[in-house]
Amino acid sequence: MLKQTVRHLLGAVAAWWVFVAQAAAAYTVLFGLALLTNAPLGSPLAGPMTVLLAAVLGAILVPLLFLPAGLVGEAATKHGRLFLRLVTTFAVAAALATIYVVVVAVATDASAAGTTLACLSSMVAVLSPTVAYVVLAHAMSRTNSARRHFPSPASGPVST
């Protein structure tokens, strides 16, 4: 039980880091585009504020989106392969992200076109963190499984 909890916590931390790195990469691309098109560059604090906002949003999304999606994906594909677990977990994460976006859109009275674009963007935004979560958790479960089936000689009983 402890190993499973640690595995999911490390997967959640990996998802958070990927989410924050994704925001930094998106800002870098937008900054480069502004440089290429001679557009205004904005505030010098725009980059750090974007990363800070992504860190806070990621900290909110990890327990509300990535952990439930990872747990459902693992439960649905208990002995399944990595690809099946990735697809299942991403489907759950995309569905949860879409639900959250629609709730915010209804609360803010957003347009249908804006809501659709936000839903599609949220699905793209959760893809990389979901992959990081699932791959790390799956690799750790494989490592634990290999240790259980093939214990090291040092861990065996000592006979004198």
Side-chain angles (χ1 to χ4, degrees):
M1 182 69 182
L2 180 64
K3 290 179 184 179
Q4 184 178 11
T5 304
V6 168
R7 184 167 39 111
H8 285 288
L9 285 177
L10 287 176
V13 168
W16 181 81
W17 274 109
V18 170
F19 192 79
V20 173
Q22 199 171 266
Y27 174 76
T28 304
V29 168
L30 290 174
F31 186 76
L33 184 65
L35 284 174
L36 289 175
T37 60
N38 291 328
L41 299 179
S43 168
L45 294 177
M49 291 306 290
T50 300
V51 172
L52 179 65
L53 182 65
V56 171
L57 182 61
I60 293 169
L61 285 180
V62 162
L64 293 177
L65 193 136
F66 298 116
L67 275 174
L71 292 173
V72 169
E74 184 172 326
T77 59
K78 191 64 178 167
H79 299 289
R81 301 227 179 258
L82 176 62
F83 180 74
L84 183 60
R85 190 170 287 178
L86 274 171
V87 170
T88 306
T89 305
F90 176 67
V92 173
L96 286 172
T98 302
I99 290 169
Y100 297 149
V101 167
V102 168
V103 166
V104 169
V106 167
T108 59
D109 198 30
S111 67
T115 303
T116 304
L117 183 62
C119 287
L120 291 173
S121 298
S122 70
M123 286 184 209
V124 171
V126 300
L127 178 62
S128 299
T130 303
V131 168
Y133 181 102
V134 171
V135 167
L136 184 66
H138 187 76
M140 288 184 70
S141 73
R142 288 287 188 200
T143 303
N144 290 338
S145 175
R147 284 185 186 153
R148 199 175 23 228
H149 293 303
F150 306 109
S152 69
S155 67
V158 177
S159 59
T160 56

